[in-house]
Amino acid sequence: MTAETWDYEGYDPERERLRESLCTLGNGYFATRGALPECVADDTHYPGTYVAGCYNRLTSEVAGRQVENEDMVNLPNWLPVRFRRPGRQWIAPDADPVLDHRLTLHLSSGLLERRTRYDLGRGQVLSVRQQRIVHLADPHLAALRTEFTAEGFSGDLEVEAALDGGVVNAGVPRYRDLDGRHLTHVHTGTPAPDTVWLRCRTRTSDIRVGMAARLTADAPVTAEPTAVRAVHRVQLHLTEGCPATVDKTIALHTSRDPAISDPLAAAIDRVVTAPGFDALLDSHLTAWDQLWRRAELDVQGEAGGILRLHLFHVLQTLSPHTADLDVGVPARGLHGEAYRGHVFWDELFVLPYLNLHFPEVSRALLRYRHRRLERACAAARATGRRGAMYPWQSGSDGREETQQLHLNPRSGRWLPDHSHLQHHVGSAIAYNVWQYCEASGDTEFLHTKGAEMLLQIARFWADSAVWDEHLARHRIKGVVGPDEYHETYPDAAAPGLDDNAYTNVTATWVLTRALELLDTLPEPRRRELVERTGLDTGELEQWQDVSRTLHVPFHDGVISQFEGYGDLAELDWDGYRRRYGDIRRLDRILEAEDDTVNRYQASKQADVLMLGYLFAPSELHGIFRRLGYRLDEHTWRRTVDHYLCRTSHGSTLSGLVHGWVLARARRAEAWKFCQEALQGDIADLQGGTTGEGIHLGAMAGTLDLVQRGLTGLETREGALWLDPVPLPELSSYGFTLRYQGHWGVRLRLEKEQLEIAVPASDRSSIDVRLPDRAVRVRPGETCGLVLPN
């Protein structure tokens, strides 16, 4: 394993799903899991291909109830290439002896290479080498080259390649009670012997899918379309020691694509005119070279290798092609079916990285939210409130997609799911709008679509707040915070918690920013917004009032996660660790014991501490001052200590946030949590979940930890603010940024030295602010700064 490759040695069925996720290839438009082409979907393997934004809705009967779910659809499988000696069984790793097996993911080139040697008996060995790409330059193409080499024999080899339309969504065992048959009207055909096609459509969303494949080989190719499989066959004659090559090129279109008439016609035309494998590989490599230059990251050692893998998966899920699509940030990437491909709040951890490298992608992801603003306003109206109530889980059209029931695999029970009460997702969207505009300088977006979202989210928070005469403060009741363990009070009749600190503080921030924005908008635009939204002076005065009087609960000198948190019982953490070992999913353990985590001071992930992730210390203190509270360093450190020992880290985001916060609060312990964030997917720390899809927010968050967390980088007031906190384990690193029209701005931290290089351009100088000084760096200049101890 190097910084440029990610390697797996030997065939390990138990780890195959994990490898398939981490060896997924994509280009922002679609992605395909790293399954072996000769293997079908079963308990070991799961080939899956997913197009960004391609969803379908089905109704299933679960626990006696009709439950509707929308899923990202597993599209026809383009991978199948199987092979055998004439008259024998198809060769596969679970049926035949494997002498050697190696998977190499080439990160710099987006190429998956596979080498396997099968023992055929009597001293005969078949060597298989494959190279796979999902084309980065042309997002509708993918290609697979297979080389067969005979060792110890010469003879014939039958090869069958196919497009398989008989696929279902079955990649997550917890969902298998749900209907996964999303495709219908599967048809196949062939326009020429070397080309086959398959078309189908989704059952309810009626998205038409067209796929075509071209096969070239060192022997004649025949086409044999069947009911749900478009098949190519070729018989190779292998000469000992001489490779025989089969190249498969596929094209994929859907009716969601722009500038096409018919997806099948577009796919056939594209695959027929596509160049050969070598030429495709050349243009693919060029596209990846360009992408890596824009996202340059220099971190040495093991951490650097993992960060590069994380960056690779972020880039191929949210590539420049994403800028042309109507899609959000899928929490599990395009790598599997966990969370059904839904969009949560994970963009809060992804966009801050993209803002400083691919702002056009960030803008597109925010436009996904803006297109669904009216749906969010309708959702708020349905609850009797004004403004925009964005869904906790979003899919195709912006309605709430959170499941009504979820399965506890430990107890086998289906339980009510109340996570739709996580209305703080609206604050995450507002935060992302603001951060994007600060980093990119895109005032046009801020004054138009950004302002429309920000104002409606602020309106929702103001209208959600109720006045409490006893406290003489406003309160927000009936919500769930980032910690999903707590969604109701013990023995309460209805779900929801009161005054979640994270929710109330971020609501204050949104209201404050919305008021600031209204003050700075050009008068004609302000007038348009006021007329369109019906804002009046009385409502704005209410915003001012709520933004200064929201209640933040405290107990024992620390910020309470929510009102009443301090009254909950303490958990016997040591006892549960002794009994169960891994207690990350403490909620499932307790429910299986007929208990509930709602009774305890126990968190799944950072909740209150998320405030230290979002806001620099000075900004967080300012928000509390606005609310009339004093948050000094001692209180914050006590708060950090309190929750640090009461968190099970049942989310991959938890280690990331704790590492970020501890880098400034308790530096000696920070690296342990940074390592957990780095290891989350590669070591599958959440117990088998990575095989169902990567955790994109955590991956992007580790990149942003280096980019913003350790450097203290903020983009505000037209300047780059830096306040580095180098960790001993990560004291030297460098990266490039794109900042307000400056491309390739290079920052390098080397122990106590900070170097900033701004490439030559016609742009103005960059203002750089440190705690003890300010400098201006002109284009074409390199500035070296000595940091204080």
Side-chain angles (χ1 to χ4, degrees), residues 99 116-121 123-127 149-153:
L99 299 176
T116 307
R117 296 176 68 243
Y118 284 110
D119 185 353
L120 304 184
Q124 300 178 2
V125 174
L126 179 66
S127 174
T149 305
E151 301 177 19
F153 75 100

Side-chain angles (χ1 to χ4, degrees), residues 471-525:
L471 291 174
R473 283 191 170 272
H474 281 94
R475 307 182 66 185
I476 296 177
K477 298 184 175 183
V479 300
V480 172
D483 167 33
E484 294 177 324
Y485 278 179
H486 292 95
E487 53 185 25
T488 187
Y489 289 102
D491 304 320
L497 305 164
D498 299 338
D499 299 314
N500 172 256
Y502 173 83
T503 299
N504 287 13
V505 171
T506 55
T508 295
W509 181 89
V510 172
L511 287 161
T512 305
R513 289 302 190 201
L515 290 164
E516 288 177 8
L517 178 58
L518 282 170
D519 285 342
T520 58
L521 278 175
E523 193 280 331
R525 177 57 182 155

Side-chain angles (χ1 to χ4, degrees), residues 83 120 296 425:
F83 38 88
L120 304 184
E296 184 180 337
V425 66

Side-chain angles (χ1 to χ4, degrees), residues 530-589:
V530 168
E531 290 174 348
R532 181 181 300 178
T533 59
L535 277 172
D536 57 35
T537 304
E539 187 173 0
L540 295 181
E541 289 174 352
Q542 182 203 16
W543 292 13
Q544 282 280 7
D545 186 32
V546 173
S547 74
R548 296 180 184 278
T549 59
L550 274 172
H551 176 51
V552 178
F554 286 76
H555 74 279
D556 299 333
V558 304
I559 303 169
S560 293
Q561 187 169 308
F562 50 83
E563 185 63 46
Y565 174 88
D567 299 328
L568 300 179
E570 291 284 6
L571 183 80
D572 180 7
W573 290 90
D574 291 338
Y576 272 89
R577 287 192 177 98
R578 282 194 301 269
R579 289 168 61 189
Y580 291 99
D582 184 352
I583 59 169
R584 285 183 174 87
R585 291 311 306 262
L586 185 62
D587 56 332
R588 292 175 175 173
I589 291 172

Side-chain angles (χ1 to χ4, degrees), residues 193-507:
D194 66 345
T195 305
V196 294
W197 56 259
L198 183 150
R199 71 179 178 199
C200 59
R201 62 181 60 206
T202 55
R203 286 172 60 188
T204 60
S205 56
D206 203 31
I207 298 172
R208 290 173 291 132
V209 179
M211 186 179 284
R214 184 186 69 203
L215 200 73
T216 59
D218 298 332
V221 175
T222 59
E224 299 179 16
T226 64
V228 295
R229 299 177 81 240
V231 178
H232 273 127
R233 299 188 192 279
V234 61
Q235 183 151 316
L236 302 174
H237 181 75
L238 303 183
T239 301
E240 183 176 3
C242 298
T245 302
V246 176
D247 287 342
K248 183 179 186 179
T249 305
I250 72 101
L252 171 61
H253 277 278
T254 80
S255 54
R256 298 182 79 246
D257 298 345
I260 66 166
S261 173
D262 170 57
L264 178 59
I268 293 173
D269 181 63
R270 192 173 293 272
V271 84
V272 167
T273 58
F277 185 89
D278 291 328
L280 281 173
L281 183 59
D282 285 344
S283 56
H284 175 73
L285 295 177
T286 299
W288 267 107
D289 285 343
Q290 294 170 348
L291 200 59
W292 280 117
R293 286 201 299 270
R294 290 178 61 182
E296 184 180 337
L297 176 68
D298 179 18
V299 178
Q300 299 303 307
E302 181 187 19
I306 298 171
L307 285 167
R308 194 161 173 85
L309 176 72
H310 287 184
L311 179 52
F312 174 79
H313 284 297
V314 171
L315 293 178
Q316 62 175 359
T317 305
L318 302 168
S319 81
H321 295 300
T322 306
D324 297 324
L325 305 176
D326 176 32
V327 297
V329 176
R332 305 300 287 272
L334 300 174
H335 297 61
E337 295 160 15
Y339 300 168
R340 301 183 178 86
H342 291 169
V343 178
F344 293 68
W345 72 327
D346 297 71
E347 63 211 59
L348 187 62
F349 303 89
V350 177
L351 263 65
Y353 176 80
L354 294 176
N355 292 341
L356 292 166
H357 298 276
F358 305 97
E360 70 279 13
V361 176
S362 291
R363 181 182 171 114
L365 296 169
L366 290 170
R367 289 200 67 192
Y368 166 86
R369 292 297 194 179
H370 182 263
R371 291 187 186 100
R372 290 149 183 83
L373 175 60
E374 181 49 45
R375 191 72 185 238
C377 291
R381 286 194 299 271
T383 66
R385 283 178 276 190
R386 304 175 73 189
M389 186 176 77
Y390 275 95
W392 174 238
Q393 295 187 33
S394 180
S396 58
D397 61 8
R399 76 180 78 176
E400 180 60 77
E401 300 292 355
T402 300
Q403 64 270 20
Q404 302 164 36
L405 300 171
H406 67 267
L407 175 68
N408 181 356
R410 279 188 175 270
S411 67
R413 289 190 282 255
W414 288 90
L415 307 167
D417 191 306
H418 303 300
S419 58
H420 67 278
L421 296 175
Q422 292 192 67
H423 301 319
H424 62 81
V425 66
S427 295
I429 294 166
Y431 182 89
N432 281 328
V433 167
W434 194 267
Q435 290 293 326
Y436 161 72
C437 294
E438 289 278 14
S440 65
D442 190 347
T443 54
E444 186 274 335
F445 186 86
L446 179 63
H447 292 169
T448 55
K449 297 175 176 63
E452 291 166 10
M453 287 188 282
L454 197 59
L455 295 181
Q456 292 291 8
I457 294 166
R459 171 177 267 173
F460 172 76
W461 285 131
D463 205 48
S464 297
V466 295
W467 181 252
D468 186 302
E469 290 287 353
H470 176 70
L471 291 174
R473 283 191 170 272
H474 281 94
R475 307 182 66 185
I476 296 177
K477 298 184 175 183
V479 300
V480 172
D483 167 33
E484 294 177 324
Y485 278 179
H486 292 95
E487 53 185 25
T488 187
Y489 289 102
D491 304 320
L497 305 164
D498 299 338
D499 299 314
N500 172 256
Y502 173 83
T503 299
N504 287 13
V505 171
T506 55

Side-chain angles (χ1 to χ4, degrees), residues 505 552 554 559 611 620-629 631:
V505 171
V552 178
F554 286 76
I559 303 169
L611 297 172
L620 184 58
H621 296 165
I623 298 170
F624 273 75
R625 277 197 305 274
R626 182 181 182 90
L627 288 168
Y629 296 102
L631 179 65

